[in-house]
Amino acid sequence: MARLFAKVLICFFLLLPDMIHPVYDQQPFMLWLYDLPTWLFALLTIAFFVVLGLGGLLLTHRRINEGTFATLIDNGTVGWFFSGVTVLYGLLLGLLTVATWSNFTQATGLASKEAATIAVLYRNFAGYPPEQRVSLQHSLRVYTEFIVHESWPLQRKGLIHDGESDRLIQLQTKIQAIEPATEGKKILQAESIRAFTALVELRRLRMESITGSVPGVIWYVVLLGAALTLIFSYFFLVKDFWFHAVLIAMLATVIGLLIFLIAALDHPYRGAVSVESTAYQLVIDKVMKP
């Protein structure tokens, strides 16, 4: 009885048409931020560092500016060391910003190339006999519309829809079933297979881009560097607490803005700041129009 139930369960999962599964990520504790509006994501990031900076200042300001410890501090010496720390940390954030923007740009170009390959393949199908042309172009249009209306919204939530792969396999089966009779048709078939192979490769690269992100160890360094930079700013002798608080808040705001920018660009296909499906929609509207 148990074996029969196991077989039925296996068959059920094998026949399940469109499976949706989450993307594996190294920082699952951060992913909920990508489901927020961009302004709220930015506000929370900045608020976190401002509250962290002001909370630390509240605990340390009186201890540092009063008593014998204040006689040991020279603002000039502290400023020299603080400049070195901020320069090094600023270089780290700058390099990460450039790297994440480069990945975002590559992801945008990858989507454009995939859409262009779909357009080329659709035009190649126009050279087939009517019954084959209609079937192939219809399957490719269904696949493209599935990307725009089903896969893309899920990608922005960190999910992958296996139904996209199923529709691509159906198209592959139709292409491989064609046996060209003339030399011209053989050349057309070879070009269609080449374009289809490029489409499969580009789709695979897009799937890999969905799962790509800044390694966790780098995020730990970024967050620890932010904390150390804020801690270092406490060692300036500033008698007025509120003036010191304003300076700390401005420093924390800049750090929060840069870290928000890196985090927002880290997942090019996820969240509000992500690659759009405009290129695919243009192919549907301009190339695949009835």
Side-chain angles (χ1 to χ4, degrees), residues 4-25:
L4 179 61
F5 176 76
K7 290 181 179 180
V8 172
L9 191 62
I10 292 174
C11 291
F12 170 77
F13 282 108
L14 289 176
L15 294 175
L16 197 61
D18 296 332
M19 295 293 292
I20 300 173
H21 56 87
V23 174
Y24 170 76
D25 194 273

Side-chain angles (χ1 to χ4, degrees), residues 105-121 147 152 195 197-203 205-206 269 275-276 278-280 283:
T105 304
Q106 290 177 3
T108 304
L110 187 63
S112 298
K113 288 181 181 178
E114 186 179 8
T117 304
I118 291 174
V120 170
L121 189 58
I147 291 177
W152 220 265
T197 302
L199 177 60
V200 173
E201 292 175 354
L202 290 170
R203 179 188 175 275
L205 291 175
R206 174 162 57 86
Y269 290 107
V275 179
E276 300 289 341
T278 308
Y280 302 90
V283 172

Side-chain angles (χ1 to χ4, degrees), residues 1-272:
M1 188 67 181
R3 290 183 179 180
L4 179 61
F5 176 76
K7 290 181 179 180
V8 172
L9 191 62
I10 292 174
C11 291
F12 170 77
F13 282 108
L14 289 176
L15 294 175
L16 197 61
D18 296 332
M19 295 293 292
I20 300 173
H21 56 87
V23 174
Y24 170 76
D25 194 273
Q26 297 178 348
Q27 299 91 33
F29 59 91
M30 295 176 59
L31 294 182
W32 64 272
L33 292 171
Y34 292 91
D35 298 328
L36 301 175
T38 305
W39 65 270
L40 184 57
F41 186 3
L43 183 62
L44 288 177
T45 306
I46 295 171
F48 171 78
F49 288 100
V50 170
V51 170
L52 181 66
L54 295 180
L57 180 65
L58 186 64
L59 294 175
T60 59
H61 184 268
R62 178 175 296 179
R63 293 179 175 86
I64 292 176
N65 285 269
E66 296 178 3
T68 57
F69 190 73
T71 61
L72 303 175
I73 296 179
D74 175 32
N75 278 352
T77 303
V78 175
W80 187 86
F81 279 100
F82 183 72
S83 298
V85 171
T86 52
V87 167
L88 291 175
Y89 186 64
L91 285 174
L92 172 63
L93 293 183
L95 290 174
L96 274 179
T97 302
V98 172
T100 51
W101 173 249
S102 177
N103 291 337
F104 188 89
T105 304
Q106 290 177 3
T108 304
L110 187 63
S112 298
K113 288 181 181 178
E114 186 179 8
T117 304
I118 291 174
V120 170
L121 189 58
Y122 189 86
R123 294 187 185 278
N124 284 348
F125 290 159
Y128 286 88
E131 65 278 2
Q132 296 174 344
R133 181 186 71 245
V134 172
S135 177
L136 291 171
Q137 288 184 338
H138 174 73
S139 296
L140 186 57
R141 183 184 178 93
V142 168
Y143 170 72
T144 309
E145 290 177 343
F146 189 88
I147 291 177
V148 174
H149 301 298
E150 299 291 339
S151 295
W152 220 265
L154 290 174
Q155 284 176 183
R156 300 184 71 175
K157 298 178 181 179
L159 301 172
I160 294 179
H161 203 313
D162 291 336
E164 183 181 320
S165 177
D166 296 338
R167 283 154 181 79
L168 198 61
I169 292 174
Q170 294 173 6
L171 178 60
Q172 178 184 7
T173 302
K174 291 183 179 181
I175 296 175
Q176 292 177 342
I178 297 175
E179 296 183 1
T182 64
E183 288 299 322
K185 297 300 182 184
K186 289 181 181 179
I187 295 174
L188 178 62
Q189 178 74 351
E191 289 297 325
S192 297
I193 292 176
R194 187 178 296 110
F196 179 82
T197 302
L199 177 60
V200 173
E201 292 175 354
L202 290 170
R203 179 188 175 275
R204 173 50 53 191
L205 291 175
R206 174 162 57 86
M207 293 296 105
E208 292 176 358
S209 297
I210 296 174
T211 60
S213 62
V214 174
V217 63
I218 296 181
W219 276 117
Y220 295 139
V221 172
V222 168
L223 296 176
L224 181 60
L228 291 176
T229 302
L230 291 174
I231 291 173
F232 217 114
S233 65
Y234 301 153
F235 289 93
F236 286 97
L237 289 179
V238 182
K239 295 300 181 181
D240 186 73
F241 172 81
W242 294 110
F243 179 66
H244 202 175
V246 170
L247 297 177
I248 296 294
M250 289 191 294
L251 175 63
T253 299
V254 173
I255 293 175
L257 278 173
L258 290 175
I259 291 180
F260 158 72
L261 180 61
I262 295 171
L265 298 176
D266 186 23
H267 294 269
Y269 290 107
R270 179 160 191 160

